[in-house]
Amino acid sequence: MARALLGKLLVRKTPRGILAGRIIETEAYLGKGDRAAHAAAGKTARNAVLFGPPGRAYVYFIYGNHYCLNVSCLADGVPGCVLFRALEPVSGIAQMAEARGIELAKEIDLKKISFLKKISSGPGRLAEAMEITRARDNGKSLVSQRSDLRIVDDGYRVRRVTVTPRIGIVKSAEQPLRYFIARNPFVSGRRVH
DNA sequence: TTATAGATTGCCT
DNA sequence: GGCAATCTATAAT
């Protein structure tokens, strides 16, 4: 699923307008046995969505500052999810930048990759740009037509995918469960890809 | 009840 | 490259 979600759009309907970003980077988190996964310790109030039906938003708060968005992926009762790590801004870019607290110096900024990268490259950044919080979105369907937060296939074709170990974890860190569109500038992180 | 680590980011040198 | 910010879940007393 982490691989299949690359290239799809994440679309948010807000009262002020529609926000959309293309999924560039994801990570898979498994259930029992994956000690980096929130589901590893069993079902709790915090991670209950992971144990529910597939296609639902699992939003958690981390480091006292940031929300991160996942989608539950396995059958009801079986934990497992995909973390969204980076989006390429596609629509509603000015509103996304504003949600991030980024100053728009000139209109030309909206076309600069260095500017666009700051908006939604990174799991905390993309959640902030898409106005995602746990209170608002946790448990919501991401595959329902009616949902205001939704995954959409617009026919975009991903050419090549790179697979690496996951970022920012210590336990179960060696498994190659991070996926991103090869040579795409919106991949998160400081290291060389 | 208290301590600690955490699926991050942004500012500093 | 180093590290503080800031809250929460979970582990340790």
Side-chain angles (χ1 to χ4, degrees), chain A residues 156-168:
Chain A
Y156 181 88
R157 297 282 176 175
V158 174
R159 295 202 187 120
R160 200 171 120 72
V161 173
T162 301
V163 185
T164 76
R166 295 172 294 186
I167 296 225

Side-chain angles (χ1 to χ4, degrees), chain A residues 135-150:
Chain A
R136 182 184 292 153
D137 300 305
N138 192 55
K140 192 175 278 183
S141 173
L142 298 181
V143 294
S144 163
Q145 295 267 345
R146 292 181 302 281
S147 183
D148 67 335
L149 184 62
R150 177 159 109 80

Side-chain angles (χ1 to χ4, degrees), chain A residues 39-53:
Chain A
K43 186 175 176 179
T44 65
R46 178 204 195 195
N47 68 17
V49 171
L50 297 177
F51 291 81

